[in-house]
Amino acid sequence: QVQLVESGGGSVQAGGSLRLSCAASGYTTGRFCMAWFRQVPGKQREPVATIASDGSTNYADSVKGRFTIFRDDAKNTLYLQMKDLKPEDTAMYSCAADSFYATCTYPRRSGGFAHWGQGTQVTVSS
């Protein structure tokens, strides 16, 4: 059974940094597309960053240059390093992992990942 457990969320002031972690069990990172999504109450969940099996990455325009997605396959863990945080980054962040697509073009557009974590809250105050 696949489990994705996020950690690292919290409350920070604008300009601060956080690193989110997503520990995977029953799943091998590096084989398929993985991603970070975020959602604000009342709004649609949006993809923040994706990483394909070959390590290629993609970012939402709103986070380019500030967020970095990476993984440690030895630890079976996905990360999201966030810097220069802004109040508009406040959201519930969830990691997602696919079990079919090695690339991320389709999963990113459809949001149809096979596995999801419970999420970790990030709150940025001005």
Side-chain angles (χ1 to χ4, degrees):
Q1 183 178 357
V2 175
Q3 279 194 316
L4 302 175
V5 180
E6 300 97 334
S7 62
S11 297
V12 296
Q13 289 192 325
S17 299
L18 283 174
R19 176 180 289 187
L20 306 183
S21 300
C22 173
S25 58
Y27 183 86
T28 302
T29 60
R31 290 189 63 192
F32 303 102
C33 175
M34 298 186 75
W36 286 97
F37 282 74
R38 66 186 181 187
Q39 187 169 23
V40 176
K43 293 190 176 181
Q44 193 171 6
R45 183 169 56 193
E46 63 172 355
V48 175
T50 61
I51 183 166
S53 62
D54 66 359
S56 57
T57 58
N58 184 277
Y59 297 91
D61 288 342
S62 59
V63 307
K64 282 180 181 177
R66 300 187 299 119
F67 290 12
T68 303
I69 185 172
F70 63 101
R71 63 176 192 252
D72 185 334
D73 293 338
K75 295 182 178 180
N76 238 27
T77 301
L78 177 73
Y79 300 93
L80 185 68
Q81 178 68 50
M82 306 184 293
K83 64 178 184 180
D84 191 22
L85 283 160
K86 303 176 180 181
E88 51 264 41
D89 294 320
T90 295
M92 179 69 75
Y93 286 71
S94 300
C95 69
D98 201 43
S99 292
F100 184 80
Y101 290 97
T103 58
C104 292
T105 302
Y106 179 75
R108 182 174 65 248
R109 290 176 180 172
S110 70
F113 285 78
H115 313 288
W116 292 85
Q118 292 298 310
T120 184
Q121 178 67 35
V122 172
T123 302
V124 185
S125 58
S126 57

